Amino acid sequence: LSIRGFQASTNLAFSFPVLPGWNPLVQVQDQRTKIWRDLPSQHSADGFVSCSPPSFSGPLRVVARPPVERESFEAIFVGGQSNALVSDNYYHPDKNTNVMYIDNELRFRHPARFHDAIKNRGFAYAFSNHGAGVLSEHTHRKYLVVAVAVGGTPMSRWMPAENRFDRSTLFGRANFRRVAAAPHGVRAIWYYGHESSGGYPSAPNYISEWKTLIGEFQKELGPVPVIFAQLAKSSRPTEHRAMFTAVEQQRLSEQGESQGTPGHHMVVAFDLPLGDGLHLSGEANRILGLRFALAMRQHVYGEAIDGTGPRLVSVSLSGQEQPVVRVTFTQIINLPVNAY
């Protein structure tokens, strides 16, 4: 509101209603310095502001800042390659308001909930958003997903430069997004990758590069738990060798294995359906998100549950004329593998 056109030494009294939380100020502009200064005003119990300024000359205005709604979110740092990207339908009306993520333009958004139309599509849904939503239903907390993944990137490209916030580097860009979204820290690291490091010459260095990369992230994030997905299958035969090599290196990297790291916990994805030759479908991301949520409950919140997903128990061969291979798992597996 601006009031102009008054003669010098004008006397004025007025009042106006105010929305709760806005706390407006009445100001007059000094005609010599052009600086706005506050005038005395009174806030009444019935929601009005009244002002009877002394004689004044110059424009009068009322300014107000909208109330800030402060919310508390528990942040999760999500890294990796293309299967860790946040895919979302901005225009779908059913949003999960207990989850937020930061998009590529550093805007905060509520993700769309899972729906049947995206069940069989690739790049249609994000396991991280679904996992955060499942956690919110259980813990009654709100979650912020800080997604930093970039597709087609080996671990060697993620190592930090001298300037750890240099946004021309993958690490610097991720570090910048982390500070912009969650300056008070994160609860855990979630990760899906790196198939690009499963081929040669990178494969022999997979575990050492993994430990180095996560160590660099933890220099920024603190010693938070790491939950990572063992790579899913690929329907592209040319990629099988690299995928299987990376999968085994990942298994050896989890806590409890000979080359494992304390605080590194693996969930499996081998039985999840694909939306294309390499990337998980919407349904697969829904299931993987559930597994990440279970792993978070087990390894971060200390609940007595199994958060790993189905693990291999035994393999046996029977029959001679028609040999049968019987594979046993700790849990029921999904149809894509059952149908093999």
Side-chain angles (χ1 to χ4, degrees):
L1 171 66
S2 296
I3 302 174
R4 295 175 178 272
F6 290 100
Q7 301 297 320
S9 301
T10 297
N11 292 308
L12 180 68
F14 60 91
S15 65
F16 54 90
V18 179
L19 294 173
W22 280 73
N23 298 322
L25 296 173
V26 181
Q27 297 180 327
V28 66
Q29 188 180 46
D30 185 288
Q31 292 301 285
R32 183 177 62 85
T33 64
K34 304 302 181 184
I35 294 174
W36 291 92
R37 58 183 176 85
D38 297 345
L39 293 175
S41 59
Q42 294 79 41
H43 293 242
S44 66
D46 57 354
F48 276 75
V49 168
S50 59
C51 182
S52 300
S55 176
F56 69 93
S57 175
L60 187 71
R61 73 179 184 182
V62 177
V63 294
R65 179 176 296 173
V68 176
E69 182 181 352
R70 299 192 180 277
E71 297 180 278
S72 177
F73 287 85
E74 194 162 279
I76 301 171
F77 184 85
V78 181
Q81 293 189 248
S82 51
N83 272 310
L85 295 172
V86 169
S87 299
D88 186 30
N89 184 346
Y90 294 164
Y91 306 106
H92 194 273
D94 187 12
K95 305 290 188 183
N96 190 336
T97 56
N98 289 326
V99 177
M100 293 191 78
Y101 69 92
I102 185 170
D103 70 9
N104 290 334
E105 286 72 42
L106 300 181
R107 294 172 297 193
F108 293 93
R109 294 181 178 272
H110 293 298
R113 295 181 186 273
F114 181 81
H115 51 284
D116 285 342
I118 61 174
K119 184 175 182 178
N120 298 315
R121 290 167 44 199
F123 292 111
Y125 197 54
F127 78 84
S128 53
N129 284 342
H130 188 78
V134 171
L135 277 176
S136 180
E137 291 176 3
H138 178 74
T139 65
H140 305 293
R141 298 183 178 101
K142 293 185 177 183
Y143 288 88
L144 171 63
V145 173
V146 185
V148 302
V150 179
T153 53
M155 284 185 283
S156 57
R157 285 187 55 195
W158 279 89
M159 300 305 169
E162 182 178 358
N163 179 357
R164 299 173 72 86
F165 288 91
D166 180 356
R167 282 186 281 170
S168 68
T169 68
L170 295 176
F171 187 96
R173 177 178 177 271
N175 209 15
F176 177 84
R177 288 173 61 81
R178 184 266 309 175
V179 172
H184 298 299
V186 304
R187 196 70 169 86
I189 296 173
W190 290 5
Y191 218 91
Y192 192 118
H194 279 271
E195 57 267 32
S196 295
S197 295
Y200 289 85
S202 300
N205 303 317
Y206 190 99
I207 293 178
S208 62
E209 287 189 354
W210 169 255
K211 290 183 177 183
T212 299
L213 175 59
I214 296 302
E216 292 294 346
F217 277 129
Q218 288 180 323
K219 288 179 182 178
E220 306 294 331
L221 304 172
V224 295
V226 179
I227 301 171
F228 65 94
Q230 191 180 37
L231 298 174
K233 63 183 184 297
S234 168
S235 61
R236 301 170 182 171
T238 57
E239 297 174 348
H240 284 176
R241 183 183 181 187
M243 293 289 285
F244 295 154
T245 299
V247 163
E248 178 62 8
Q249 296 298 299
Q250 290 176 320
R251 185 187 69 81
L252 296 172
S253 298
E254 71 173 326
Q255 177 176 304
E257 294 295 332
S258 58
Q259 300 181 67
T261 303
H264 287 213
H265 310 285
M266 187 178 77
V267 298
V268 298
F270 69 91
D271 61 330
L272 301 183
L274 300 177
D276 57 28
L278 183 63
H279 301 101
L280 298 177
S281 68
E283 173 67 5
N285 275 294
R286 185 190 68 80
I287 297 171
L288 186 61
L290 175 60
R291 291 178 182 175
F292 266 84
L294 290 172
M296 187 88 163
R297 288 172 56 186
Q298 178 184 6
H299 300 299
V300 177
Y301 300 134
E303 297 184 35
I305 59 173
D306 182 354
T308 67
R311 295 295 185 102
L312 180 66
V313 174
S314 64
V315 180
S316 61
L317 175 66
S318 62
Q320 295 182 350
E321 294 184 3
Q322 292 183 328
V324 175
V325 176
R326 183 175 298 277
V327 184
T328 306
F329 295 92
T330 57
Q331 303 174 22
I332 295 174
I333 59 176
N334 288 287
L335 287 177
V337 172
N338 275 324
Y340 280 169

